[in-house]
Each structure stands twice: as C-alpha cells, then as structure tokens.
Amino acid sequence: MSETGAGPSAAERVVFIDDEAEVCRANRQSLELDGYRVETFGAAAPALTAILADPPGLVITDVRLPDLDGNALFARLRAIDPELPVILITGHGDIRMAVAAMRDGAYDFLAKPYPAEALLASARRALDRRRLVLENRRLRARLDAALEEDPAFLGVSPEIVRLRKLVREVAQADVDVLVFGETGSGKEVVASALHRWGRRAKRNFVAMNCGALPDSVVESELFGHEAGAFTGALKRRVGRIEHAQGGTLFLDEIESMPLGLQVKILRVLQERVVEPLGSNDILPIDMRVVAATKVDLGQAAAQGTFRDDLYHRLNVITIAIPPLRDRREDVMLLFQEFLRRASARFKREVPAVSAHAMDHLRRHDWPGNVRELGHFAERYALGLGQSDFSAPEPAAAGTLAEQVDRFERGLIREELIVAAGDVRLAAESLGTPRKTLYDKIARHGLTPTDYR
C-alpha cells in the first residue's frame, strides 16, 4: 500500500497493540509525552482495520495477542506496507521468533520488561526512518508527474516553469537564439528543446563545442572542405553548417571561437550561405542557429575579446537559465531521477537516500549546477557519495543573520513545494504555528500558490 499522499504528520502517529490495558496505558503516556499521537488496541484485527484506513508512522506490537500470533501479524503488516517500521515486544521465550522477524524486515524488538527510555529511543529512530521513506515517496510521486508533463525540464520551481514556457514560445518562432547559463546548467538541453519543439524537429540537430577543438581545425569542422583544400584534405568533407541544413546548429561556448572565425560566422548568420574551404561554390543554408555562452558577451565585446557586431546579431532573443542554487526545490526531484538513471545504468538497486545525503542536497550551493548534481547521483548509486559530505560545508558568504535568513527561506520553499502550496501541511511538517509561517512567507517574499 502506497503512502505517497500521506501528510507530513503521518510519520508522527504510533499504533500500539497489546492485550493488557495497563501496558497500553503506560506506553501510550510515555509516547505522548515524547510528542507522538498514539492509538492503542487490545487485539490485531481492529488495529489492522485502523492501519488500512489511515497508515501510521510506526507500529509497536506484542507478539502474543488473543486473535493473531506475532508472525502472522507481522506478515499482514508487511503486505500493507513493506517499509512500515514495526517494533515487536516479546517475552523471553519469543526472542528467537523476534530475531527471525527482524531478518524479514522488522525494525526492532524489545524484551519484557523494558524501560520506557528504551522504547522511546527505538521509536525515535524508527520514526526518523519513516519520515525519510515518506519524503522519498512524495518526491517520487512529484517526479513521476514532472516526467509525464515534460522530461526535458524536470522541476516544479517558478523559475523552471517560466523557463519551460519561454522555450516553448521561442521554439515556435524559429529565430536564432542566444542561451546564457553557468557551466553545467543545461544549455544543450535548452538548445535541443528549441529544436524538438520547433518546425525543424525532423531534421538534424548538429552540436559543436567551439572551445573543444584546436583553432586549426574549427574552420574546417564548421564550413567543411573540398579535397585538396589543404594538406591532409584527401576527400570532400561536409561541415557542421551544411550538415545542419533544414535543422538546427548549436554552437556551445561561442565565446571561445577565434575572432577571425567570428567574421565568417557573422556572414553565415546574415546571408544564410556557406562557402566550404577550397570551393568556389556558395551554398544557401536554411537553419536555426542556437549559440550558448557562460560569460557576458556584452562585456566580452566591450573588452575586445568578442566581436561587437556578432554579439548584437546573436542578442535578438536571449534565454537565461537559472542556476540550480536559485531553484533549490528542484534539487531533490532532479537527484531522484538522476539516481534512478544511474542505478539502471550500473545495474544496481536504487539506494535509499539517507538523512545525511538529504541534508547535503539541501545545503550545498551546486556551483557545477545540474551536471554536478548528476555526477553526485552517479557516485551515490555506486556507494561512493559519502565522501561528498563527510567534511563540513564552507559557510556561505554574509553575516550569521543573512545565512540563517537564506537557510530559513530555502527550507520554507522546500516544504511549500512538498506540500504543493498547502500552508497548513507545511506548518505541520515544520512544527510551526500557521500564523508564524504565514508571517515568514510574507517576509521572504514567497507565494504559496506558486507551488501548487
């Protein structure tokens, strides 16, 4: 049975089952004093009915019940939800059975008589695990919904929603586009989407990284050449521009293109023709050009490292990709998907995401953006991710008050997105009075409806 729709408070509910009323009363009191909501039952059947109707965060049960033995009850609970933590209470004669149940997935067992603190310590650990399970399930459900809506732009943040809408609109316009974004932010993903969502989708998408090739071969790669055009040119080669005929040419890291070649690219953009090296023929070209950069080309033009006329020719429509640190509520969704893909590629089970890993995902600024997050997911799938958060993170810039303010805003945004904009659920999850949370939402300039 899935609990993806369960509210955050589900992980705070405990079902306690024992046929001795005094035992139920004493344990209920201990658990309630520790802050949990507790339901007690004297038999398995009514408890199972209640669990099916409203799954709790934890079940604590005696293995000797009047209507069902411990093994049968545990099997029924496993059928309801294999990840529901179950703590078994045993007499000395039942310890062997309890150990066997733990091998089958029971969370813990306590041998009578046990001190109240032993029960509370085990319950706290079990409920901490349950919170992680429920959060992972909610993230999985949101991820599935996001994948169904649009696998290219995973995320639910207002920033990624606006980007997705803009890319769809520009794709239909069939104009040249300049894409600006930090390293690893997904510039080629945007360029590919512009191609796939436009009228040129059935033709070639041709990508070239201007900074990955030596200057001596970039021109030949772009424009192509005839046989004998230069030493080593043994046969005719179709250049990237000609190969993109009818489709899209993607020029990544265009800031790295040599100045001399920028003049020729400018002519291609203005006149839509290409002249292969060693040829007297001028070929007409019908294509869309998407150029990408990680630097401010206007500033580069002012400094003389990029041609001013090419910059203005490219700067008709610019799409800026927000860095991952500005859309933190997307980090968990992206990580879940990257982890799933990496686990499938490495032929491994998808590992559970630990509390330590979740804390790292929330706090890290991801200077390498989506690419860095993807690499972290690969390491985590291989069991190597612990090194990423074994050392303390460096403090973010700013005063203590500023850092606390940024952390609080990010945490509230995450809870709003997990709660789909429901302030009541977010307040329960954060353990904050609803009025206080509304005040903080207003102070941080957040809008709950953005996350629905």
Side-chain angles (χ1 to χ4, degrees), residues 65-92:
L65 296 172
D67 55 346
L68 209 61
D69 67 42
N71 281 326
L73 174 59
F74 179 63
R76 294 284 297 276
L77 292 173
R78 290 277 292 172
I80 293 171
D81 183 346
E83 293 181 293
L84 177 63
V86 178
I87 298 175
L88 301 173
I89 298 174
T90 71
H92 289 294

Side-chain angles (χ1 to χ4, degrees), residues 2-3 14 23 33 37 61 64-65 99 109 117 195 200-201 240 267 291 294 314 358 365 369 424 439:
S2 171
E3 284 188 30
V14 178
V23 172
L33 287 172
R37 293 187 294 121
T61 178
R64 298 283 183 177
L65 296 172
V99 171
F109 77 90
E117 186 52 44
H195 175 74
R200 301 177 181 274
R240 305 284 181 98
R267 184 190 178 201
K294 61 179 180 292
L314 290 170
M358 283 192 172
D365 270 345
N369 291 289
R424 178 182 60 82
D439 291 343

Side-chain angles (χ1 to χ4, degrees), residues 5-13 35 37 54 131 134 138 411-412 415-416 418-419 421-438 441:
S9 60
E12 306 299 327
R13 290 178 49 247
R37 293 187 294 121
D54 189 8
R131 275 187 283 272
L134 293 179
R138 286 192 292 270
L411 190 60
I412 292 173
E415 291 301 336
L416 284 173
V418 168
D422 189 324
V423 178
R424 178 182 60 82
L425 289 179
E428 286 182 11
S429 180
L430 291 167
T432 303
R434 204 181 311 175
K435 173 65 168 60
T436 301
L437 185 57
Y438 271 117
I441 286 171

